[in-house]
Coordinates of all heavy atoms in Angstrom, one line a residue:
N1 N 102.0 101.2 88.4 CA 101.5 102.0 87.3 C 101.1 103.4 87.6 O 100.3 104.0 86.9 CB 100.2 101.3 86.7 CG 100.5 99.9 86.2 OD1 101.6 99.6 85.8 ND2 99.6 99.0 86.4
R2 N 101.7 103.9 88.7 CA 101.4 105.3 89.0 C 102.6 105.9 89.7 O 103.2 105.3 90.6 CB 100.2 105.3 90.0 CG 99.5 106.7 90.1 CD 98.4 106.6 91.1 NE 97.2 106.8 90.4 CZ 96.0 107.0 91.0 NH1 96.0 106.9 92.3 NH2 94.9 107.2 90.4
E3 N 103.0 107.1 89.3 CA 104.1 107.8 89.9 C 103.7 108.2 91.3 O 102.6 108.7 91.5 CB 104.5 108.9 89.1 CG 105.8 109.6 89.5 CD 106.3 110.7 88.6 OE1 106.1 110.5 87.4 OE2 106.7 111.7 89.1
L4 N 104.6 108.0 92.3 CA 104.3 108.4 93.6 C 104.3 109.9 93.7 O 105.0 110.6 93.0 CB 105.4 107.9 94.6 CG 105.3 106.4 94.8 CD1 106.5 106.0 95.7 CD2 104.0 105.9 95.4
L5 N 103.5 110.4 94.6 CA 103.4 111.9 94.9 C 104.6 112.4 95.6 O 105.3 111.6 96.3 CB 102.2 112.2 95.7 CG 100.8 111.8 95.0 CD1 99.7 112.0 96.0 CD2 100.6 112.6 93.8
S6 N 104.9 113.6 95.6 CA 105.9 114.2 96.5 C 105.4 114.1 97.9 O 104.1 113.9 98.1 CB 106.2 115.7 96.1 OG 105.1 116.5 96.5
E7 N 106.2 114.2 98.9 CA 105.8 114.2 100.3 C 104.7 115.2 100.6 O 103.7 114.9 101.2 CB 106.9 114.3 101.2 CG 106.6 114.2 102.7 CD 107.8 114.2 103.6 OE1 108.9 113.9 103.2 OE2 107.6 114.6 104.8
Q8 N 104.9 116.4 100.1 CA 103.9 117.5 100.3 C 102.6 117.3 99.6 O 101.5 117.5 100.2 CB 104.5 118.9 99.9 CG 103.6 120.1 100.2 CD 103.3 120.1 101.7 OE1 104.1 119.9 102.6 NE2 102.0 120.4 102.0
E9 N 102.7 116.8 98.4 CA 101.4 116.5 97.6 C 100.7 115.3 98.3 O 99.4 115.4 98.4 CB 101.7 116.1 96.2 CG 102.2 117.2 95.3 CD 102.8 116.7 94.0 OE1 103.4 115.6 93.9 OE2 102.6 117.4 93.0
A10 N 101.4 114.3 98.8 CA 100.8 113.2 99.5 C 100.1 113.7 100.8 O 99.0 113.3 101.1 CB 101.8 112.1 99.8
F11 N 100.8 114.6 101.5 CA 100.3 115.2 102.7 C 99.0 115.9 102.5 O 98.0 115.7 103.2 CB 101.3 116.1 103.4 CG 100.7 116.7 104.7 CD1 100.5 115.9 105.8 CD2 100.2 118.0 104.7 CE1 100.0 116.5 107.0 CE2 99.6 118.5 105.8 CZ 99.5 117.8 107.0
Q12 N 98.9 116.7 101.4 CA 97.7 117.5 101.1 C 96.6 116.5 100.8 O 95.5 116.7 101.3 CB 98.0 118.4 99.9 CG 96.8 119.3 99.5 CD 96.4 120.2 100.6 OE1 97.3 120.8 101.3 NE2 95.1 120.5 100.8
Q13 N 96.8 115.4 100.1 CA 95.8 114.5 99.8 C 95.3 113.8 101.1 O 94.1 113.5 101.3 CB 96.3 113.5 98.8 CG 95.2 112.5 98.3 CD 95.8 111.6 97.1 OE1 96.9 111.7 96.7 NE2 94.9 110.7 96.7
F14 N 96.3 113.4 101.9 CA 96.0 112.8 103.2 C 95.1 113.7 104.1 O 94.1 113.3 104.6 CB 97.3 112.5 103.9 CG 97.3 111.9 105.3 CD1 96.7 110.6 105.5 CD2 97.8 112.6 106.4 CE1 96.7 110.1 106.7 CE2 97.7 112.0 107.6 CZ 97.2 110.8 107.8
W15 N 95.5 115.0 104.2 CA 94.8 115.9 105.0 C 93.4 116.1 104.5 O 92.4 116.1 105.3 CB 95.6 117.3 105.0 CG 95.0 118.3 105.9 CD1 95.2 118.4 107.3 CD2 94.1 119.3 105.6 NE1 94.5 119.5 107.8 CE2 93.8 120.0 106.7 CE3 93.4 119.6 104.4 CZ2 92.9 121.1 106.7 CZ3 92.6 120.7 104.4 CH2 92.3 121.4 105.6
E16 N 93.2 116.2 103.2 CA 91.9 116.3 102.7 C 91.0 115.1 102.9 O 89.8 115.2 103.3 CB 92.0 116.6 101.2 CG 92.5 118.0 100.8 CD 92.8 118.2 99.4 OE1 92.6 117.3 98.5 OE2 93.4 119.3 99.0
A17 N 91.6 113.9 102.9 CA 90.8 112.7 103.1 C 90.4 112.6 104.6 O 89.3 112.3 104.9 CB 91.7 111.5 102.8
L18 N 91.3 113.0 105.5 CA 91.0 113.0 106.9 C 89.8 114.0 107.2 O 88.9 113.6 108.0 CB 92.2 113.5 107.8 CG 93.3 112.5 107.9 CD1 94.5 113.2 108.6 CD2 93.0 111.3 108.6
N19 N 89.8 115.1 106.6 CA 88.7 116.1 106.8 C 87.4 115.6 106.2 O 86.4 115.6 106.8 CB 89.1 117.4 106.1 CG 89.8 118.3 107.0 OD1 89.6 118.4 108.2 ND2 90.8 119.1 106.4
K20 N 87.5 115.1 104.9 CA 86.3 114.6 104.2 C 85.6 113.5 105.0 O 84.4 113.4 105.1 CB 86.7 114.2 102.8 CG 85.5 113.7 102.0 CD 86.0 113.2 100.6 CE 84.8 112.7 99.8 NZ 85.2 112.1 98.6
E21 N 86.5 112.6 105.5 CA 85.9 111.4 106.2 C 85.7 111.6 107.7 O 85.3 110.6 108.4 CB 86.9 110.2 106.0 CG 86.9 109.8 104.5 CD 87.8 108.6 104.2 OE1 88.0 107.8 105.1 OE2 88.3 108.5 103.1
S22 N 86.0 112.8 108.2 CA 85.8 113.1 109.6 C 86.4 112.2 110.7 O 85.8 111.8 111.6 CB 84.3 113.2 109.9 OG 83.6 114.1 109.0
W23 N 87.7 111.9 110.4 CA 88.5 111.1 111.4 C 88.7 111.9 112.7 O 88.9 113.1 112.6 CB 89.8 110.7 110.8 CG 89.7 109.5 109.9 CD1 89.1 109.5 108.6 CD2 90.2 108.2 110.1 NE1 89.3 108.3 108.1 CE2 89.9 107.5 108.9 CE3 90.9 107.6 111.1 CZ2 90.3 106.2 108.8 CZ3 91.3 106.3 111.0 CH2 91.0 105.6 109.8
M24 N 88.7 111.2 113.8 CA 89.0 111.8 115.1 C 90.1 111.1 115.8 O 90.2 109.9 115.7 CB 87.7 111.8 116.0 CG 86.6 112.8 115.5 SD 87.0 114.5 115.7 CE 87.0 114.7 117.4
T25 N 90.8 111.8 116.7 CA 91.8 111.2 117.5 C 91.4 111.4 119.0 O 91.2 112.6 119.4 CB 93.2 111.8 117.2 OG1 93.5 111.6 115.8 CG2 94.3 111.2 118.1

């Protein structure tokens, strides 16, 4: 029920989530 994002749009959302949630490697 939801159209998939483009690769770049998905990356931007992914990057923002990593920052917001303070993930570390």
Side-chain angles (χ1 to χ4, degrees):
N1 302 327
R2 199 182 245 190
E3 188 175 321
L4 291 175
L5 300 172
S6 72
E7 185 175 334
Q8 186 57 40
E9 291 169 325
F11 177 77
Q12 184 63 35
Q13 188 175 359
F14 177 65
W15 185 86
E16 289 171 3
L18 290 171
N19 274 322
K20 180 180 178 187
E21 297 182 21
S22 303
W23 281 69
M24 290 292 291
T25 301

